[in-house]
Amino acid sequence: MKTFGLFVVSMTAYLTSVYTGTPNETVAVVLKSLPVATLAVFVQVEKRCHTAYARLLAAGLMFSAVGDFCLFWQHLPQWFIFGLLAFAVAQLLYALAFDVTRVTFDGTTVVTMATAVLTYAYILPGLKGVMTSLCGFYAILIFSMAAAATSRLRRDVTWPRLSACVGAVLFVVSDFVLAVNKFRFPIPHARFLNLSTYFMAQCLIAFSVLESGEGPKALGRPKSREKEN
């Protein structure tokens, strides 16, 4: 668990720098990118998870770290776009890991997609130019990722899948806070809300690879399983 310990230390250092101020810009941007990068190492190396699922999560975490790096300068439009694109790739990789091709259009999925439409409609008045289409595209990806995570959990309720599902929902909450604060109106303590839900989301998604040698322990009544991931 050494790499997870590094995540905790780097996350704490970054959050401390946010509220105390870091005079050195290079140190600040490294601290911002390091926590999620260490989770990628945790997924791929610490637990020696060499499945396709783990590889997709590790790649998604690395693209998220790139997004963190870019969003350090999010007050500059071009850097915000770079960060948005990096996170879009991360959401696509997470969606593939959660087997988005097997999402069924039941009530939960319909509610998720309806929430995506309402969310985009809400922030739309604050969008201009290329951000109008990019944010719409990103909304499709992140809500598809959330729908895939919830659908995967419903097929087989296990602790790792529950961890991924809660992480996916928290990711949506984190990005909603960021979008409203940036494009609609200032939210009190927005940075704390955004960062706390974001780091928890990434941590829970990374933790979804933690399975015993006998396979994930089911919650409640055992179900017949299909071989996945």
Side-chain angles (χ1 to χ4, degrees), residues 98-100 102-106 108-109 145-156 161 165 228:
F98 301 150
D99 207 354
V100 68
R102 295 190 60 190
V103 172
T104 55
F105 287 92
D106 54 16
T108 303
T109 303
M145 180 275 295
T150 55
S151 179
R152 185 169 177 266
L153 176 64
R154 292 197 305 276
R155 292 197 301 273
D156 197 358
R161 294 185 182 203
C165 186
E228 298 181 38

Side-chain angles (χ1 to χ4, degrees), residues 131-182:
M131 292 305 301
T132 303
S133 55
L134 285 180
C135 286
F137 177 64
Y138 183 79
I140 292 172
L141 287 176
I142 191 170
F143 278 96
S144 295
M145 180 275 295
T150 55
S151 179
R152 185 169 177 266
L153 176 64
R154 292 197 305 276
R155 292 197 301 273
D156 197 358
V157 183
T158 64
W159 287 113
R161 294 185 182 203
L162 178 61
S163 179
C165 186
V166 175
V169 172
L170 284 176
F171 214 138
V172 171
V173 172
S174 173
D175 280 0
F176 179 74
V177 170
L178 186 151
V180 172
N181 187 69
K182 185 174 181 64

Side-chain angles (χ1 to χ4, degrees), residues 7-36:
F7 163 73
V8 174
V9 171
S10 58
M11 177 187 67
T12 302
Y14 174 62
L15 291 177
T16 300
S17 74
V18 167
Y19 292 102
T20 61
T22 303
N24 190 303
E25 186 178 76
T26 302
V27 172
V29 72
V30 169
L31 287 176
K32 190 175 192 299
S33 308
L34 188 58
V36 174

Side-chain angles (χ1 to χ4, degrees), residues 28-97:
V29 72
V30 169
L31 287 176
K32 190 175 192 299
S33 308
L34 188 58
V36 174
T38 59
L39 286 177
V41 176
F42 170 79
V43 167
Q44 196 63 37
V45 177
E46 180 73 15
K47 301 309 296 181
R48 295 175 174 81
C49 298
H50 300 301
T51 63
Y53 180 79
R55 288 192 293 271
L56 285 168
L57 287 195
L61 288 163
M62 286 308 301
F63 271 99
S64 295
V66 172
D68 288 335
F69 176 87
C70 295
L71 291 184
F72 182 81
W73 297 283
Q74 63 174 288
H75 57 285
L76 302 175
Q78 66 272 28
W79 282 102
F80 185 84
I81 291 174
F82 294 153
L84 184 64
L85 291 175
F87 275 110
V89 174
Q91 301 303 345
L92 176 60
L93 290 166
Y94 289 156
L96 292 174

